Amino acid sequence: MPHRPAALHRLPHYGTLLAALLLDIVLVPLLLAVGAGMPVARAVMAVVLLAAFVAVGSSRVAGLGLLVAVAAMAISEALRSDTAIAVEIVLRMLFIGYVIVNMTREILRQGDAVTLDTIAGAACVYMLIGLLWSNGYLLLEHLRPGSFDIPDDWRLPGNEIGPALVFFSYVTLTTVGYGDIRTAGPAAGGLAVVEALVGQLFLAVTIARLVGQHLSRRG
């Protein structure tokens, strides 16, 4: 398990990550809708990745993953080539996946020592799952355009579809399924099915267990 400096133990690190994730989900679409541009969206995402690094600990692997992911975002913004964008998405997914695995292990190892910050950590993992899949959808659409049926009113200036796929990911994760954005092929459909299954299993196993442990301590 990565060593966490004493100063970080005093921070509500899971709560900080949760706030950053909510900021990304709520603020970025609004900024893009008013023409703020992708550099602003990438800056907010960099904040999310930094908060994830703080939450997961100070290991060298996490630090390297953060630096590589942020560097890839900067290079992609500068080059705007198809290859650079694909590499950016893949590296970001690898870092988010690493954070999900290590945060889940850390949360479950706490046993009966469940705090509100621990429950916030479980909520973070759940939201990171949605973020991971949204990047997967974005990569698929980048490699195979037309994998998703996205209405024109969901396409932001510059034909930016990132927020649309984030929305699709979270409504799939929560099994809401509004149907306004749809899969248009077996690859996208398969990814959506797996996300829905992972989301429900995570809620049933992890969050229910942590909440139960927290309530039993209070009782």
mmCIF file with all atom_site columns, all heavy atoms in Angstrom, residues 189-217:
data_model
loop_
_atom_site.group_PDB
_atom_site.id
_atom_site.type_symbol
_atom_site.label_atom_id
_atom_site.label_alt_id
_atom_site.label_comp_id
_atom_site.label_asym_id
_atom_site.label_entity_id
_atom_site.label_seq_id
_atom_site.pdbx_PDB_ins_code
_atom_site.Cartn_x
_atom_site.Cartn_y
_atom_site.Cartn_z
_atom_site.occupancy
_atom_site.B_iso_or_equiv
_atom_site.pdbx_formal_charge
_atom_site.auth_seq_id
_atom_site.auth_comp_id
_atom_site.auth_asym_id
_atom_site.auth_atom_id
_atom_site.pdbx_PDB_model_num
ATOM 1   N N   . GLY A 1 189 ? -22.276 -0.949 -27.765 1.00 0.00 ? 189 GLY A N   1
ATOM 2   C CA  . GLY A 1 189 ? -23.287 -1.613 -26.951 1.00 0.00 ? 189 GLY A CA  1
ATOM 3   C C   . GLY A 1 189 ? -22.675 -2.529 -25.909 1.00 0.00 ? 189 GLY A C   1
ATOM 4   O O   . GLY A 1 189 ? -23.132 -2.580 -24.765 1.00 0.00 ? 189 GLY A O   1
ATOM 5   N N   . GLY A 1 190 ? -21.628 -3.249 -26.292 1.00 0.00 ? 190 GLY A N   1
ATOM 6   C CA  . GLY A 1 190 ? -20.963 -4.124 -25.337 1.00 0.00 ? 190 GLY A CA  1
ATOM 7   C C   . GLY A 1 190 ? -20.330 -3.360 -24.199 1.00 0.00 ? 190 GLY A C   1
ATOM 8   O O   . GLY A 1 190 ? -20.429 -3.753 -23.029 1.00 0.00 ? 190 GLY A O   1
ATOM 9   N N   . LEU A 1 191 ? -19.682 -2.237 -24.517 1.00 0.00 ? 191 LEU A N   1
ATOM 10  C CA  . LEU A 1 191 ? -19.092 -1.404 -23.469 1.00 0.00 ? 191 LEU A CA  1
ATOM 11  C C   . LEU A 1 191 ? -20.159 -0.893 -22.513 1.00 0.00 ? 191 LEU A C   1
ATOM 12  O O   . LEU A 1 191 ? -19.958 -0.851 -21.292 1.00 0.00 ? 191 LEU A O   1
ATOM 13  C CB  . LEU A 1 191 ? -18.353 -0.220 -24.099 1.00 0.00 ? 191 LEU A CB  1
ATOM 14  C CG  . LEU A 1 191 ? -16.971 -0.493 -24.691 1.00 0.00 ? 191 LEU A CG  1
ATOM 15  C CD1 . LEU A 1 191 ? -16.434 0.771  -25.361 1.00 0.00 ? 191 LEU A CD1 1
ATOM 16  C CD2 . LEU A 1 191 ? -16.008 -0.980 -23.628 1.00 0.00 ? 191 LEU A CD2 1
ATOM 17  N N   . ALA A 1 192 ? -21.303 -0.497 -23.053 1.00 0.00 ? 192 ALA A N   1
ATOM 18  C CA  . ALA A 1 192 ? -22.377 0.032  -22.216 1.00 0.00 ? 192 ALA A CA  1
ATOM 19  C C   . ALA A 1 192 ? -22.934 -1.036 -21.277 1.00 0.00 ? 192 ALA A C   1
ATOM 20  O O   . ALA A 1 192 ? -23.210 -0.763 -20.099 1.00 0.00 ? 192 ALA A O   1
ATOM 21  C CB  . ALA A 1 192 ? -23.485 0.602  -23.100 1.00 0.00 ? 192 ALA A CB  1
ATOM 22  N N   . VAL A 1 193 ? -23.083 -2.243 -21.773 1.00 0.00 ? 193 VAL A N   1
ATOM 23  C CA  . VAL A 1 193 ? -23.597 -3.335 -20.937 1.00 0.00 ? 193 VAL A CA  1
ATOM 24  C C   . VAL A 1 193 ? -22.641 -3.622 -19.785 1.00 0.00 ? 193 VAL A C   1
ATOM 25  O O   . VAL A 1 193 ? -23.060 -3.772 -18.629 1.00 0.00 ? 193 VAL A O   1
ATOM 26  C CB  . VAL A 1 193 ? -23.822 -4.605 -21.789 1.00 0.00 ? 193 VAL A CB  1
ATOM 27  C CG1 . VAL A 1 193 ? -24.063 -5.817 -20.895 1.00 0.00 ? 193 VAL A CG1 1
ATOM 28  C CG2 . VAL A 1 193 ? -24.997 -4.416 -22.731 1.00 0.00 ? 193 VAL A CG2 1
ATOM 29  N N   . VAL A 1 194 ? -21.351 -3.695 -20.091 1.00 0.00 ? 194 VAL A N   1
ATOM 30  C CA  . VAL A 1 194 ? -20.363 -3.972 -19.041 1.00 0.00 ? 194 VAL A CA  1
ATOM 31  C C   . VAL A 1 194 ? -20.360 -2.856 -17.998 1.00 0.00 ? 194 VAL A C   1
ATOM 32  O O   . VAL A 1 194 ? -20.286 -3.118 -16.795 1.00 0.00 ? 194 VAL A O   1
ATOM 33  C CB  . VAL A 1 194 ? -18.963 -4.151 -19.651 1.00 0.00 ? 194 VAL A CB  1
ATOM 34  C CG1 . VAL A 1 194 ? -17.913 -4.301 -18.547 1.00 0.00 ? 194 VAL A CG1 1
ATOM 35  C CG2 . VAL A 1 194 ? -18.934 -5.378 -20.561 1.00 0.00 ? 194 VAL A CG2 1
ATOM 36  N N   . GLU A 1 195 ? -20.458 -1.606 -18.440 1.00 0.00 ? 195 GLU A N   1
ATOM 37  C CA  . GLU A 1 195 ? -20.484 -0.500 -17.478 1.00 0.00 ? 195 GLU A CA  1
ATOM 38  C C   . GLU A 1 195 ? -21.683 -0.608 -16.553 1.00 0.00 ? 195 GLU A C   1
ATOM 39  O O   . GLU A 1 195 ? -21.562 -0.403 -15.333 1.00 0.00 ? 195 GLU A O   1
ATOM 40  C CB  . GLU A 1 195 ? -20.510 0.845  -18.193 1.00 0.00 ? 195 GLU A CB  1
ATOM 41  C CG  . GLU A 1 195 ? -20.508 2.008  -17.217 1.00 0.00 ? 195 GLU A CG  1
ATOM 42  C CD  . GLU A 1 195 ? -20.574 3.371  -17.874 1.00 0.00 ? 195 GLU A CD  1
ATOM 43  O OE1 . GLU A 1 195 ? -20.990 3.449  -19.049 1.00 0.00 ? 195 GLU A OE1 1
ATOM 44  O OE2 . GLU A 1 195 ? -20.212 4.372  -17.221 1.00 0.00 ? 195 GLU A OE2 1
ATOM 45  N N   . ALA A 1 196 ? -22.848 -0.901 -17.099 1.00 0.00 ? 196 ALA A N   1
ATOM 46  C CA  . ALA A 1 196 ? -24.045 -1.019 -16.269 1.00 0.00 ? 196 ALA A CA  1
ATOM 47  C C   . ALA A 1 196 ? -23.894 -2.133 -15.236 1.00 0.00 ? 196 ALA A C   1
ATOM 48  O O   . ALA A 1 196 ? -24.270 -1.976 -14.066 1.00 0.00 ? 196 ALA A O   1
ATOM 49  C CB  . ALA A 1 196 ? -25.267 -1.266 -17.153 1.00 0.00 ? 196 ALA A CB  1
ATOM 50  N N   . LEU A 1 197 ? -23.313 -3.259 -15.651 1.00 0.00 ? 197 LEU A N   1
ATOM 51  C CA  . LEU A 1 197 ? -23.113 -4.373 -14.724 1.00 0.00 ? 197 LEU A CA  1
ATOM 52  C C   . LEU A 1 197 ? -22.110 -4.017 -13.633 1.00 0.00 ? 197 LEU A C   1
ATOM 53  O O   . LEU A 1 197 ? -22.339 -4.283 -12.448 1.00 0.00 ? 197 LEU A O   1
ATOM 54  C CB  . LEU A 1 197 ? -22.634 -5.608 -15.497 1.00 0.00 ? 197 LEU A CB  1
ATOM 55  C CG  . LEU A 1 197 ? -23.654 -6.263 -16.433 1.00 0.00 ? 197 LEU A CG  1
ATOM 56  C CD1 . LEU A 1 197 ? -22.987 -7.375 -17.251 1.00 0.00 ? 197 LEU A CD1 1
ATOM 57  C CD2 . LEU A 1 197 ? -24.822 -6.835 -15.627 1.00 0.00 ? 197 LEU A CD2 1
ATOM 58  N N   . VAL A 1 198 ? -20.992 -3.400 -14.030 1.00 0.00 ? 198 VAL A N   1
ATOM 59  C CA  . VAL A 1 198 ? -19.971 -3.018 -13.051 1.00 0.00 ? 198 VAL A CA  1
ATOM 60  C C   . VAL A 1 198 ? -20.535 -2.018 -12.052 1.00 0.00 ? 198 VAL A C   1
ATOM 61  O O   . VAL A 1 198 ? -20.302 -2.126 -10.841 1.00 0.00 ? 198 VAL A O   1
ATOM 62  C CB  . VAL A 1 198 ? -18.737 -2.434 -13.766 1.00 0.00 ? 198 VAL A CB  1
ATOM 63  C CG1 . VAL A 1 198 ? -17.787 -1.790 -12.763 1.00 0.00 ? 198 VAL A CG1 1
ATOM 64  C CG2 . VAL A 1 198 ? -18.007 -3.519 -14.541 1.00 0.00 ? 198 VAL A CG2 1
ATOM 65  N N   . GLY A 1 199 ? -21.300 -1.052 -12.535 1.00 0.00 ? 199 GLY A N   1
ATOM 66  C CA  . GLY A 1 199 ? -21.875 -0.052 -11.643 1.00 0.00 ? 199 GLY A CA  1
ATOM 67  C C   . GLY A 1 199 ? -22.799 -0.651 -10.611 1.00 0.00 ? 199 GLY A C   1
ATOM 68  O O   . GLY A 1 199 ? -22.722 -0.312 -9.414  1.00 0.00 ? 199 GLY A O   1
ATOM 69  N N   . GLN A 1 200 ? -23.661 -1.562 -11.023 1.00 0.00 ? 200 GLN A N   1
ATOM 70  C CA  . GLN A 1 200 ? -24.599 -2.161 -10.079 1.00 0.00 ? 200 GLN A CA  1
ATOM 71  C C   . GLN A 1 200 ? -23.897 -3.081 -9.098  1.00 0.00 ? 200 GLN A C   1
ATOM 72  O O   . GLN A 1 200 ? -24.231 -3.108 -7.908  1.00 0.00 ? 200 GLN A O   1
ATOM 73  C CB  . GLN A 1 200 ? -25.682 -2.928 -10.853 1.00 0.00 ? 200 GLN A CB  1
ATOM 74  C CG  . GLN A 1 200 ? -26.568 -2.048 -11.705 1.00 0.00 ? 200 GLN A CG  1
ATOM 75  C CD  . GLN A 1 200 ? -27.138 -0.876 -10.916 1.00 0.00 ? 200 GLN A CD  1
ATOM 76  O OE1 . GLN A 1 200 ? -27.872 -1.062 -9.948  1.00 0.00 ? 200 GLN A OE1 1
ATOM 77  N NE2 . GLN A 1 200 ? -26.793 0.332  -11.318 1.00 0.00 ? 200 GLN A NE2 1
ATOM 78  N N   . LEU A 1 201 ? -22.906 -3.837 -9.564  1.00 0.00 ? 201 LEU A N   1
ATOM 79  C CA  . LEU A 1 201 ? -22.165 -4.712 -8.663  1.00 0.00 ? 201 LEU A CA  1
ATOM 80  C C   . LEU A 1 201 ? -21.374 -3.894 -7.636  1.00 0.00 ? 201 LEU A C   1
ATOM 81  O O   . LEU A 1 201 ? -21.293 -4.262 -6.460  1.00 0.00 ? 201 LEU A O   1
ATOM 82  C CB  . LEU A 1 201 ? -21.215 -5.608 -9.462  1.00 0.00 ? 201 LEU A CB  1
ATOM 83  C CG  . LEU A 1 201 ? -21.889 -6.732 -10.254 1.00 0.00 ? 201 LEU A CG  1
ATOM 84  C CD1 . LEU A 1 201 ? -20.867 -7.433 -11.150 1.00 0.00 ? 201 LEU A CD1 1
ATOM 85  C CD2 . LEU A 1 201 ? -22.553 -7.734 -9.310  1.00 0.00 ? 201 LEU A CD2 1
ATOM 86  N N   . PHE A 1 202 ? -20.803 -2.776 -8.082  1.00 0.00 ? 202 PHE A N   1
ATOM 87  C CA  . PHE A 1 202 ? -20.047 -1.937 -7.154  1.00 0.00 ? 202 PHE A CA  1
ATOM 88  C C   . PHE A 1 202 ? -20.957 -1.387 -6.062  1.00 0.00 ? 202 PHE A C   1
ATOM 89  O O   . PHE A 1 202 ? -20.606 -1.408 -4.881  1.00 0.00 ? 202 PHE A O   1
ATOM 90  C CB  . PHE A 1 202 ? -19.369 -0.794 -7.905  1.00 0.00 ? 202 PHE A CB  1
ATOM 91  C CG  . PHE A 1 202 ? -18.573 0.099  -7.012  1.00 0.00 ? 202 PHE A CG  1
ATOM 92  C CD1 . PHE A 1 202 ? -17.268 -0.229 -6.676  1.00 0.00 ? 202 PHE A CD1 1
ATOM 93  C CD2 . PHE A 1 202 ? -19.116 1.268  -6.490  1.00 0.00 ? 202 PHE A CD2 1
ATOM 94  C CE1 . PHE A 1 202 ? -16.521 0.583  -5.823  1.00 0.00 ? 202 PHE A CE1 1
ATOM 95  C CE2 . PHE A 1 202 ? -18.382 2.078  -5.648  1.00 0.00 ? 202 PHE A CE2 1
ATOM 96  C CZ  . PHE A 1 202 ? -17.073 1.737  -5.314  1.00 0.00 ? 202 PHE A CZ  1
ATOM 97  N N   . LEU A 1 203 ? -22.122 -0.902 -6.443  1.00 0.00 ? 203 LEU A N   1
ATOM 98  C CA  . LEU A 1 203 ? -23.049 -0.371 -5.449  1.00 0.00 ? 203 LEU A CA  1
ATOM 99  C C   . LEU A 1 203 ? -23.490 -1.452 -4.473  1.00 0.00 ? 203 LEU A C   1
ATOM 100 O O   . LEU A 1 203 ? -23.532 -1.228 -3.255  1.00 0.00 ? 203 LEU A O   1
ATOM 101 C CB  . LEU A 1 203 ? -24.275 0.221  -6.153  1.00 0.00 ? 203 LEU A CB  1
ATOM 102 C CG  . LEU A 1 203 ? -24.086 1.565  -6.853  1.00 0.00 ? 203 LEU A CG  1
ATOM 103 C CD1 . LEU A 1 203 ? -25.370 1.950  -7.575  1.00 0.00 ? 203 LEU A CD1 1
ATOM 104 C CD2 . LEU A 1 203 ? -23.679 2.643  -5.872  1.00 0.00 ? 203 LEU A CD2 1
ATOM 105 N N   . ALA A 1 204 ? -23.800 -2.623 -4.997  1.00 0.00 ? 204 ALA A N   1
ATOM 106 C CA  . ALA A 1 204 ? -24.315 -3.693 -4.151  1.00 0.00 ? 204 ALA A CA  1
ATOM 107 C C   . ALA A 1 204 ? -23.269 -4.198 -3.167  1.00 0.00 ? 204 ALA A C   1
ATOM 108 O O   . ALA A 1 204 ? -23.582 -4.469 -2.008  1.00 0.00 ? 204 ALA A O   1
ATOM 109 C CB  . ALA A 1 204 ? -24.806 -4.852 -5.029  1.00 0.00 ? 204 ALA A CB  1
ATOM 110 N N   . VAL A 1 205 ? -22.028 -4.299 -3.617  1.00 0.00 ? 205 VAL A N   1
ATOM 111 C CA  . VAL A 1 205 ? -21.004 -4.923 -2.784  1.00 0.00 ? 205 VAL A CA  1
ATOM 112 C C   . VAL A 1 205 ? -20.262 -3.911 -1.914  1.00 0.00 ? 205 VAL A C   1
ATOM 113 O O   . VAL A 1 205 ? -20.147 -4.091 -0.693  1.00 0.00 ? 205 VAL A O   1
ATOM 114 C CB  . VAL A 1 205 ? -19.992 -5.694 -3.674  1.00 0.00 ? 205 VAL A CB  1
ATOM 115 C CG1 . VAL A 1 205 ? -18.851 -6.245 -2.825  1.00 0.00 ? 205 VAL A CG1 1
ATOM 116 C CG2 . VAL A 1 205 ? -20.695 -6.811 -4.423  1.00 0.00 ? 205 VAL A CG2 1
ATOM 117 N N   . THR A 1 206 ? -19.765 -2.841 -2.511  1.00 0.00 ? 206 THR A N   1
ATOM 118 C CA  . THR A 1 206 ? -18.836 -1.953 -1.805  1.00 0.00 ? 206 THR A CA  1
ATOM 119 C C   . THR A 1 206 ? -19.535 -0.908 -0.949  1.00 0.00 ? 206 THR A C   1
ATOM 120 O O   . THR A 1 206 ? -19.328 -0.832 0.267   1.00 0.00 ? 206 THR A O   1
ATOM 121 C CB  . THR A 1 206 ? -17.904 -1.255 -2.811  1.00 0.00 ? 206 THR A CB  1
ATOM 122 O OG1 . THR A 1 206 ? -17.268 -2.241 -3.622  1.00 0.00 ? 206 THR A OG1 1
ATOM 123 C CG2 . THR A 1 206 ? -16.852 -0.439 -2.079  1.00 0.00 ? 206 THR A CG2 1
ATOM 124 N N   . ILE A 1 207 ? -20.370 -0.081 -1.584  1.00 0.00 ? 207 ILE A N   1
ATOM 125 C CA  . ILE A 1 207 ? -20.982 1.008  -0.829  1.00 0.00 ? 207 ILE A CA  1
ATOM 126 C C   . ILE A 1 207 ? -21.916 0.479  0.251   1.00 0.00 ? 207 ILE A C   1
ATOM 127 O O   . ILE A 1 207 ? -21.926 0.986  1.382   1.00 0.00 ? 207 ILE A O   1
ATOM 128 C CB  . ILE A 1 207 ? -21.720 1.973  -1.782  1.00 0.00 ? 207 ILE A CB  1
ATOM 129 C CG1 . ILE A 1 207 ? -20.693 2.702  -2.665  1.00 0.00 ? 207 ILE A CG1 1
ATOM 130 C CG2 . ILE A 1 207 ? -22.567 2.966  -1.004  1.00 0.00 ? 207 ILE A CG2 1
ATOM 131 C CD1 . ILE A 1 207 ? -21.270 3.772  -3.549  1.00 0.00 ? 207 ILE A CD1 1
ATOM 132 N N   . ALA A 1 208 ? -22.691 -0.562 -0.053  1.00 0.00 ? 208 ALA A N   1
ATOM 133 C CA  . ALA A 1 208 ? -23.585 -1.132 0.955   1.00 0.00 ? 208 ALA A CA  1
ATOM 134 C C   . ALA A 1 208 ? -22.783 -1.657 2.148   1.00 0.00 ? 208 ALA A C   1
ATOM 135 O O   . ALA A 1 208 ? -23.167 -1.479 3.306   1.00 0.00 ? 208 ALA A O   1
ATOM 136 C CB  . ALA A 1 208 ? -24.410 -2.247 0.340   1.00 0.00 ? 208 ALA A CB  1
ATOM 137 N N   . ARG A 1 209 ? -21.649 -2.276 1.875   1.00 0.00 ? 209 ARG A N   1
ATOM 138 C CA  . ARG A 1 209 ? -20.808 -2.791 2.961   1.00 0.00 ? 209 ARG A CA  1
ATOM 139 C C   . ARG A 1 209 ? -20.258 -1.665 3.822   1.00 0.00 ? 209 ARG A C   1
ATOM 140 O O   . ARG A 1 209 ? -20.298 -1.742 5.062   1.00 0.00 ? 209 ARG A O   1
ATOM 141 C CB  . ARG A 1 209 ? -19.655 -3.599 2.365   1.00 0.00 ? 209 ARG A CB  1
ATOM 142 C CG  . ARG A 1 209 ? -18.631 -4.063 3.392   1.00 0.00 ? 209 ARG A CG  1
ATOM 143 C CD  . ARG A 1 209 ? -17.497 -4.803 2.725   1.00 0.00 ? 209 ARG A CD  1
ATOM 144 N NE  . ARG A 1 209 ? -16.423 -5.085 3.673   1.00 0.00 ? 209 ARG A NE  1
ATOM 145 C CZ  . ARG A 1 209 ? -15.307 -5.696 3.358   1.00 0.00 ? 209 ARG A CZ  1
ATOM 146 N NH1 . ARG A 1 209 ? -15.110 -6.090 2.100   1.00 0.00 ? 209 ARG A NH1 1
ATOM 147 N NH2 . ARG A 1 209 ? -14.381 -5.915 4.267   1.00 0.00 ? 209 ARG A NH2 1
ATOM 148 N N   . LEU A 1 210 ? -19.762 -0.606 3.206   1.00 0.00 ? 210 LEU A N   1
ATOM 149 C CA  . LEU A 1 210 ? -19.181 0.495  3.964   1.00 0.00 ? 210 LEU A CA  1
ATOM 150 C C   . LEU A 1 210 ? -20.227 1.231  4.798   1.00 0.00 ? 210 LEU A C   1
ATOM 151 O O   . LEU A 1 210 ? -19.989 1.573  5.953   1.00 0.00 ? 210 LEU A O   1
ATOM 152 C CB  . LEU A 1 210 ? -18.481 1.469  3.016   1.00 0.00 ? 210 LEU A CB  1
ATOM 153 C CG  . LEU A 1 210 ? -17.217 0.942  2.328   1.00 0.00 ? 210 LEU A CG  1
ATOM 154 C CD1 . LEU A 1 210 ? -16.676 1.989  1.373   1.00 0.00 ? 210 LEU A CD1 1
ATOM 155 C CD2 . LEU A 1 210 ? -16.165 0.559  3.356   1.00 0.00 ? 210 LEU A CD2 1
ATOM 156 N N   . VAL A 1 211 ? -21.383 1.476  4.204   1.00 0.00 ? 211 VAL A N   1
ATOM 157 C CA  . VAL A 1 211 ? -22.443 2.156  4.957   1.00 0.00 ? 211 VAL A CA  1
ATOM 158 C C   . VAL A 1 211 ? -22.888 1.305  6.130   1.00 0.00 ? 211 VAL A C   1
ATOM 159 O O   . VAL A 1 211 ? -23.104 1.804  7.242   1.00 0.00 ? 211 VAL A O   1
ATOM 160 C CB  . VAL A 1 211 ? -23.628 2.484  4.026   1.00 0.00 ? 211 VAL A CB  1
ATOM 161 C CG1 . VAL A 1 211 ? -24.816 2.999  4.830   1.00 0.00 ? 211 VAL A CG1 1
ATOM 162 C CG2 . VAL A 1 211 ? -23.228 3.512  2.978   1.00 0.00 ? 211 VAL A CG2 1
ATOM 163 N N   . GLY A 1 212 ? -23.005 -0.004 5.910   1.00 0.00 ? 212 GLY A N   1
ATOM 164 C CA  . GLY A 1 212 ? -23.388 -0.903 6.993   1.00 0.00 ? 212 GLY A CA  1
ATOM 165 C C   . GLY A 1 212 ? -22.380 -0.897 8.126   1.00 0.00 ? 212 GLY A C   1
ATOM 166 O O   . GLY A 1 212 ? -22.746 -0.873 9.308   1.00 0.00 ? 212 GLY A O   1
ATOM 167 N N   . GLN A 1 213 ? -21.083 -0.904 7.796   1.00 0.00 ? 213 GLN A N   1
ATOM 168 C CA  . GLN A 1 213 ? -20.037 -0.855 8.814   1.00 0.00 ? 213 GLN A CA  1
ATOM 169 C C   . GLN A 1 213 ? -20.074 0.467  9.578   1.00 0.00 ? 213 GLN A C   1
ATOM 170 O O   . GLN A 1 213 ? -19.906 0.496  10.800  1.00 0.00 ? 213 GLN A O   1
ATOM 171 C CB  . GLN A 1 213 ? -18.665 -1.058 8.167   1.00 0.00 ? 213 GLN A CB  1
ATOM 172 C CG  . GLN A 1 213 ? -18.427 -2.468 7.666   1.00 0.00 ? 213 GLN A CG  1
ATOM 173 C CD  . GLN A 1 213 ? -17.118 -2.600 6.913   1.00 0.00 ? 213 GLN A CD  1
ATOM 174 O OE1 . GLN A 1 213 ? -16.644 -1.637 6.325   1.00 0.00 ? 213 GLN A OE1 1
ATOM 175 N NE2 . GLN A 1 213 ? -16.547 -3.780 6.919   1.00 0.00 ? 213 GLN A NE2 1
ATOM 176 N N   . HIS A 1 214 ? -20.315 1.558  8.854   1.00 0.00 ? 214 HIS A N   1
ATOM 177 C CA  . HIS A 1 214 ? -20.367 2.873  9.499   1.00 0.00 ? 214 HIS A CA  1
ATOM 178 C C   . HIS A 1 214 ? -21.538 2.942  10.475  1.00 0.00 ? 214 HIS A C   1
ATOM 179 O O   . HIS A 1 214 ? -21.387 3.429  11.605  1.00 0.00 ? 214 HIS A O   1
ATOM 180 C CB  . HIS A 1 214 ? -20.494 3.957  8.441   1.00 0.00 ? 214 HIS A CB  1
ATOM 181 C CG  . HIS A 1 214 ? -20.572 5.343  8.997   1.00 0.00 ? 214 HIS A CG  1
ATOM 182 N ND1 . HIS A 1 214 ? -19.525 5.956  9.657   1.00 0.00 ? 214 HIS A ND1 1
ATOM 183 C CD2 . HIS A 1 214 ? -21.610 6.230  9.015   1.00 0.00 ? 214 HIS A CD2 1
ATOM 184 C CE1 . HIS A 1 214 ? -19.890 7.165  10.050  1.00 0.00 ? 214 HIS A CE1 1
ATOM 185 N NE2 . HIS A 1 214 ? -21.146 7.355  9.670   1.00 0.00 ? 214 HIS A NE2 1
ATOM 186 N N   . LEU A 1 215 ? -22.684 2.454  10.068  1.00 0.00 ? 215 LEU A N   1
ATOM 187 C CA  . LEU A 1 215 ? -23.863 2.496  10.945  1.00 0.00 ? 215 LEU A CA  1
ATOM 188 C C   . LEU A 1 215 ? -23.702 1.574  12.141  1.00 0.00 ? 215 LEU A C   1
ATOM 189 O O   . LEU A 1 215 ? -24.164 1.906  13.237  1.00 0.00 ? 215 LEU A O   1
ATOM 190 C CB  . LEU A 1 215 ? -25.102 2.116  10.130  1.00 0.00 ? 215 LEU A CB  1
ATOM 191 C CG  . LEU A 1 215 ? -25.531 3.112  9.037   1.00 0.00 ? 215 LEU A CG  1
ATOM 192 C CD1 . LEU A 1 215 ? -26.730 2.568  8.269   1.00 0.00 ? 215 LEU A CD1 1
ATOM 193 C CD2 . LEU A 1 215 ? -25.834 4.473  9.632   1.00 0.00 ? 215 LEU A CD2 1
ATOM 194 N N   . SER A 1 216 ? -23.044 0.435  11.943  1.00 0.00 ? 216 SER A N   1
ATOM 195 C CA  . SER A 1 216 ? -22.852 -0.486 13.072  1.00 0.00 ? 216 SER A CA  1
ATOM 196 C C   . SER A 1 216 ? -21.933 0.117  14.123  1.00 0.00 ? 216 SER A C   1
ATOM 197 O O   . SER A 1 216 ? -22.106 -0.110 15.321  1.00 0.00 ? 216 SER A O   1
ATOM 198 C CB  . SER A 1 216 ? -22.273 -1.816 12.562  1.00 0.00 ? 216 SER A CB  1
ATOM 199 O OG  . SER A 1 216 ? -20.959 -1.634 12.064  1.00 0.00 ? 216 SER A OG  1
ATOM 200 N N   . ARG A 1 217 ? -20.937 0.903  13.702  1.00 0.00 ? 217 ARG A N   1
ATOM 201 C CA  . ARG A 1 217 ? -20.059 1.582  14.657  1.00 0.00 ? 217 ARG A CA  1
ATOM 202 C C   . ARG A 1 217 ? -20.815 2.615  15.464  1.00 0.00 ? 217 ARG A C   1
ATOM 203 O O   . ARG A 1 217 ? -20.617 2.772  16.662  1.00 0.00 ? 217 ARG A O   1
ATOM 204 C CB  . ARG A 1 217 ? -18.897 2.263  13.928  1.00 0.00 ? 217 ARG A CB  1
ATOM 205 C CG  . ARG A 1 217 ? -17.846 1.318  13.393  1.00 0.00 ? 217 ARG A CG  1
ATOM 206 C CD  . ARG A 1 217 ? -16.657 2.108  12.917  1.00 0.00 ? 217 ARG A CD  1
ATOM 207 N NE  . ARG A 1 217 ? -15.997 2.788  14.015  1.00 0.00 ? 217 ARG A NE  1
ATOM 208 C CZ  . ARG A 1 217 ? -15.290 3.908  13.896  1.00 0.00 ? 217 ARG A CZ  1
ATOM 209 N NH1 . ARG A 1 217 ? -15.199 4.512  12.718  1.00 0.00 ? 217 ARG A NH1 1
ATOM 210 N NH2 . ARG A 1 217 ? -14.711 4.448  14.939  1.00 0.00 ? 217 ARG A NH2 1
#
